Amino acid sequence: MMEKGVEHLISARKSMRVNLEKSKDIGLSLEKARPRLVEINQRLPSLEAAIRPIRADQDALGDVVGHINRAVVPAAAVLKVFDAIHGLENSLSDPESDLPGYFGVLKRLKEALRFLGENCDMAIQWLADIVEYLEDHNVADDKFISSLKEALTTLKELHSGEDWSCLDGGLLEVALDRLENEFRRLLTENSVPLPMSTPDLPGEQACIAPSLLPVAVIKKLQSILGRLVANNRLEKCVSIYVEVRSSNVRESLQALNLDYLEISVSEFNDVQSIEGHIANWGKHLEFAVKHLLEAEYKLCNDVFDRFGLDVWMGCFAKIASQAGILAFIQFGKTVTESKKDPIKMLKLLDIFASLNKLRLDFNRLFGGAACAEIQRLTRDLIKRVIDGASELFWELQVQVELQRQIPPPPDGGVPKLIIFITDYCNKLLGDDYKPMLTQVLVIERSWKREIFQERLLFDELLNIMRAVQLNLETWSKGYKDDTLSYVFLMNNHCHLYKDLKGTKLGILLGDSWLREHEQYKEYYSAVFLRESWAKLPALLSREGLILFSGGRATARDLVKKRLKAFNEAFDDMYKKQSNWIMLDKELREKTCQLIIQAIVPVYRSYMQNYGPLVEQEGSSKYAKYTVRSLEKMLNSLFVPKATRQGSFKVRVPSGKFNNSVADQNQTAIVK
């Protein structure tokens, strides 16, 4: 018994030792598990909150597991692709440094986005089924179900839209924005203003400007456009292109000082005040069309050709409008609205010539539907020019006739109208204006369904010259002094003969017409001499001085009396005629010589024979002039005074003309 008790104690002691060791091990294990238990304890509230909306029993939860698994697989695939897409973000290099590489990443991004777009629908449908199941079986509370529905609605809206780019969180939009910036950079850095080679654009055959962008740059632009247009960004690309290129054209034109294009009708009184601007207008318009817009037209075709005619022509039309072509057209319209005078007709013909010279260029560059506004404004300008020029031409004869109401020149010179109208008609018949005037009149008559013949132009100019002749006859009768009227007629017939001989107008009028005026000049020259200076020698009569019986005293008295009468008549005539002029140098010198020949020999002989009788009486009283001083005085007659600028006003018939016809010199250049 004793031995058995000891054995039990030993066995108990061993068991206690074993249990003690196990307790120690458990204690150590618990000590090691303490951090994890703390972590689990911390996560329990969130887990409790997550499962709180689920109120179904275990069987219902078991049934829903299959639905969840079927939805999670496609959803997880979509999320995996989404993560892959954003993994490409780090691969998006700078398109400037590696454009092909950028295109490669962009292609992969598009493919991934297409996968998202094509698979989101299935994932959304499976998720919708889960929500429907949860709602039908009361697996979750209403608030939880509502939150799920809102999330699904947002997904459906994103997926149902035509633009899937938002499915990637906007990464594709960022990539395309960078590509747009590269498109702008390439354009901006390679768009350099083209200056005019010379201010006057010498040479009739203006060269066509080549493309202003290198071929390599154009190819890059085309490649970028292909990617952007495929992503519905064509309109934005066109906007960038038009902005950069139109700005470049404007900079090219800035050096030309085109401020005059902004001038308004109220800022000038007549065309002469902007005559220089009109001349520059034609040169600048030619430069803009043949050099700048021609290059832009070609460049638009090169860059946008693959996207269709409407696209690149529309792009060019916007560049042309924004670059300033409309301002050129508006300036021409402003000229047509200015006050009427004959000089305006020449300027309108200049404008017509410039437009006609560029007609083929306008038709080619602006012939498309996209340039409809430019076409309309150009046609309106051409119509205004043709109507204005033809109206002024057909009214010219009336304006000449109305000038008969004004008084003739007080110095007997050639009226400004005569100088102006002969020069004007010669210009109309010259090589510069006759073709343009003929073309204008042909078009003007065609609009009226009438046929224009060149004879009509010649007949109208002949009628104008007939009106000029009638004016001369009327004006010559306006002088109170007949002698001055003879000088007036001498001057004007001489002008018509000499100034028109050998000219276009002179040829039109004919040799017989010219000879007639030469004869009239000679006739009035003879009449003038006979009725004026030729009467003076008779005052130096020798009657009673050869066979006188009264002696020396009587002879002296007769000489005194006759010299006094001669001096008074000479002084009076010289003083009066000193204010008269003869414009033609040859006519003036010949007339002075005739006067000298009529007076000086008689005076010389008279003074040689009878001068000694009065020498003691004081030469200044009776022998007032020496032969030399007399010749000098007569040679100084009819010399035009310093030329003065004058304005030739035109009478206004029924409001047709509003201001001056032209500014002409009061006297012509002495020949």
Side-chain angles (χ1 to χ4, degrees):
M1 289 289 291
M2 188 72 170
E3 291 178 355
K4 289 183 178 181
V6 171
E7 290 177 356
H8 283 301
L9 287 172
I10 293 172
S11 176
R13 187 180 65 177
K14 288 180 179 180
S15 178
M16 289 180 66
R17 285 180 177 177
V18 170
N19 289 332
L20 183 61
E21 291 295 330
K22 289 181 178 181
S23 297
K24 288 181 179 180
D25 292 339
I26 291 172
L28 291 173
S29 297
L30 289 173
E31 189 65 28
K32 291 180 180 179
R34 182 185 299 275
R36 182 161 181 81
L37 291 173
V38 172
E39 180 182 354
I40 292 173
N41 187 54
Q42 291 174 347
R43 292 176 60 188
L44 282 175
S46 60
L47 292 173
E48 182 182 4
I51 65 172
R52 187 177 298 125
I54 303 175
R55 297 181 177 180
D57 55 24
Q58 185 175 0
D59 292 338
L61 289 174
D63 293 338
V64 83
V65 170
H67 292 278
I68 292 176
N69 288 336
R70 284 193 298 271
V72 166
V73 173
V78 169
L79 290 175
K80 186 176 181 180
V81 173
F82 182 81
D83 290 338
I85 288 175
H86 279 270
L88 293 174
E89 185 172 2
N90 296 328
S91 301
L92 280 175
S93 60
D94 184 357
E96 178 181 353
S97 60
D98 183 14
L99 189 59
Y102 195 88
F103 287 157
V105 175
L106 193 63
K107 180 181 179 181
R108 295 198 297 274
L109 187 59
K110 285 279 291 182
E111 291 172 349
L113 185 59
R114 187 179 299 108
F115 177 86
L116 282 179
E118 293 172 351
N119 289 274
C120 272
D121 186 53
M122 182 174 65
I124 291 171
Q125 192 63 45
W126 281 105
L127 291 173
D129 290 344
I130 293 176
V131 173
E132 183 179 354
Y133 181 87
L134 294 176
E135 186 177 20
D136 291 344
H137 293 81
N138 295 320
V139 176
D141 63 15
D142 294 340
K143 185 177 181 181
F144 182 74
I145 296 296
S146 176
S147 177
L148 289 176
K149 284 183 176 181
E150 288 180 6
L152 277 173
T153 300
T154 302
L155 282 174
K156 288 179 180 179
E157 289 176 352
L158 290 173
H159 183 261
S160 62
E162 294 182 1
D163 186 6
W164 291 355
S165 61
C166 52
L167 294 177
D168 67 350
L171 182 58
L172 179 61
E173 289 298 303
V174 171
L176 294 174
D177 288 344
R178 290 183 185 176
L179 210 52
E180 278 185 5
N181 293 335
E182 176 64 8
F183 184 77
R184 180 187 292 274
R185 186 195 67 80
L186 283 171
L187 278 174
T188 303
E189 293 185 0
N190 291 278
S191 295
V192 181
L194 178 66
M196 286 184 67
S197 56
T198 62
D200 297 326
L201 284 177
E204 292 297 324
Q205 299 297 326
C207 62
I208 302 301
S211 171
L212 302 183
L213 293 183
V215 175
V217 173
I218 293 177
K219 289 183 177 179
K220 285 185 179 181
L221 292 174
Q222 291 172 334
S223 299
I224 293 174
L225 274 172
R227 270 67 173 186
L228 292 175
V229 172
N231 288 275
N232 300 318
R233 294 202 175 199
L234 175 60
E235 186 175 346
K236 185 64 181 297
C237 292
V238 169
S239 176
I240 293 172
Y241 186 91
V242 170
E243 176 190 345
V244 175
R245 294 304 301 178
S246 60
S247 175
N248 186 68
V249 175
R250 287 195 300 272
E251 287 185 31
S252 297
L253 291 172
Q254 281 179 356
L256 304 182
N257 189 18
L258 299 179
D259 292 343
Y260 68 86
L261 293 180
E262 305 299 326
I263 196 170
S264 64
V265 177
S266 60
E267 290 181 280
F268 60 90
N269 295 323
D270 51 52
V271 177
Q272 293 177 81
S273 63
I274 60 166
E275 192 170 354
H277 293 326
I278 296 174
N280 287 331
W281 178 85
K283 299 174 185 177
H284 295 162
L285 178 62
E286 181 177 355
F287 175 73
V289 171
K290 283 188 172 291
H291 291 254
L292 301 180
L293 295 181
E294 174 70 33
E296 295 304 322
Y297 180 86
K298 182 179 183 300
L299 191 58
C300 281
N301 178 274
D302 290 343
V303 176
F304 291 96
D305 181 47
R306 70 172 68 175
F307 306 108
L309 178 66
D310 291 343
V311 172
W312 74 264
M313 278 298 294
C315 185
F316 170 72
K318 292 176 182 178
I319 291 174
S321 297
Q322 294 183 22
I325 189 66
L326 298 182
F328 280 99
I329 297 174
Q330 178 58 44
F331 176 82
K333 180 182 176 183
T334 300
V335 174
T336 66
E337 294 172 345
S338 63
K339 296 177 181 179
K340 293 182 178 180
D341 63 52
I343 292 297
K344 177 181 175 179
M345 185 176 83
L346 298 181
K347 298 302 107 183
L348 291 178
L349 292 177
D350 288 338
I351 291 176
F352 180 83
S354 296
L355 293 173
N356 189 61
K357 185 178 182 180
L358 297 172
R359 178 170 53 86
L360 296 179
D361 299 283
F362 264 71
N363 290 340
R364 179 170 52 84
L365 297 180
F366 310 121
C371 297
E373 181 65 8
I374 297 176
Q375 295 170 28
R376 183 185 67 80
L377 293 174
T378 304
R379 284 195 299 266
D380 178 66
L381 173 58
I382 293 173
K383 187 176 187 307
R384 286 171 174 269
V385 168
I386 291 174
D387 286 343
S390 57
E391 181 182 9
L392 286 165
F393 177 74
W394 296 120
E395 290 178 356
L396 191 56
Q397 179 185 345
V398 176
Q399 299 310 313
V400 173
E401 293 171 351
L402 288 171
Q403 295 302 302
R404 293 173 196 165
Q405 303 172 32
I406 67 174
D411 56 9
V414 179
K416 290 172 288 182
L417 171 68
I418 306 301
I419 297 173
F420 171 79
I421 207 67
T422 52
D423 179 63
Y424 190 79
C425 289
N426 264 318
K427 285 184 178 179
L428 294 182
L429 289 169
D431 295 336
D432 291 335
Y433 288 109
K434 182 175 175 291
M436 293 301 103
L437 177 58
T438 301
Q439 192 170 348
V440 163
L441 296 178
V442 167
I443 297 173
E444 183 252 349
R445 285 301 172 99
S446 69
W447 289 345
K448 298 178 179 179
R449 300 184 182 278
E450 299 175 3
I451 298 176
F452 175 81
Q453 296 178 345
E454 192 174 43
R455 188 70 242 172
L456 292 174
L457 170 61
F458 296 151
D459 288 345
E460 188 64 19
L461 293 176
L462 291 175
N463 289 336
I464 291 171
M465 293 309 298
R466 292 189 187 99
V468 166
Q469 289 181 278
L470 289 176
N471 282 18
L472 290 178
E473 294 176 11
T474 302
W475 284 332
S476 68
K477 297 174 182 176
Y479 290 106
K480 295 180 180 179
D481 189 332
D482 290 341
T483 308
L484 180 55
S485 71
Y486 303 146
V487 172
F488 171 78
L489 291 169
M490 287 167 56
N491 272 315
N492 284 275
H493 286 296
C494 179
H495 173 79
L496 293 176
Y497 167 69
K498 293 195 69 174
D499 282 52
L500 296 185
K501 186 177 181 180
T503 66
K504 300 282 187 179
L505 181 59
I507 294 172
L508 175 64
L509 293 168
D511 291 339
S512 60
W513 188 93
L514 294 173
R515 284 195 299 271
E516 182 180 350
H517 284 282
E518 183 183 25
Q519 292 167 0
Y520 274 125
K521 178 202 70 173
E522 297 295 336
Y523 170 77
Y524 287 112
S525 176
V527 174
F528 163 75
L529 186 64
R530 185 186 66 213
E531 297 298 324
S532 59
W533 296 99
K535 294 180 178 181
L536 265 63
L539 298 176
L540 298 177
S541 172
R542 302 191 181 203
E543 185 179 354
L545 295 178
I546 300 176
L547 299 174
F548 57 87
S549 58
R552 188 177 182 85
T554 302
R556 184 183 297 109
D557 291 340
L558 285 174
V559 171
K560 289 179 181 179
K561 180 179 179 181
R562 291 169 183 172
L563 281 175
K564 182 179 179 182
F566 174 86
N567 290 337
E568 290 176 352
F570 180 89
D571 290 344
D572 181 65
M573 196 169 295
Y574 180 83
K575 181 179 179 181
K576 180 171 60 175
Q577 296 191 17
S578 292
N579 295 318
W580 301 352
I581 64 171
M582 291 186 185
L583 301 179
D584 184 77
K585 182 179 180 181
E586 183 180 348
L587 175 64
R588 183 173 63 252
E589 292 178 348
K590 182 178 179 181
T591 302
C592 289
Q593 285 302 311
L594 290 174
I595 295 172
I596 290 173
Q597 291 172 12
I599 295 176
V600 172
V602 175
Y603 184 78
R604 179 187 295 110
S605 175
Y606 195 83
M607 292 303 295
Q608 287 175 348
N609 291 318
Y610 307 110
L613 294 175
V614 297
E615 287 177 354
Q616 296 179 355
E617 301 292 334
S619 59
S620 62
K621 187 174 182 180
Y622 298 106
K624 187 175 182 179
Y625 301 107
T626 64
V627 171
R628 187 167 183 177
S629 64
L630 206 63
E631 287 183 348
K632 185 176 181 181
M633 290 177 66
L634 292 174
N635 274 319
S636 69
L637 285 172
F638 314 122
V639 176
K641 307 301 184 290
T643 58
R644 301 181 298 276
Q645 293 293 331
S647 179
F648 172 35
K649 301 293 183 182
V650 175
R651 300 288 179 175
V652 182
S654 303
K656 293 291 184 181
F657 279 60
N658 296 324
N659 209 330
S660 63
V661 170
D663 286 339
Q664 292 289 333
N665 288 340
Q666 179 71 20
T667 57
I669 299 175
V670 180
K671 297 181 180 178

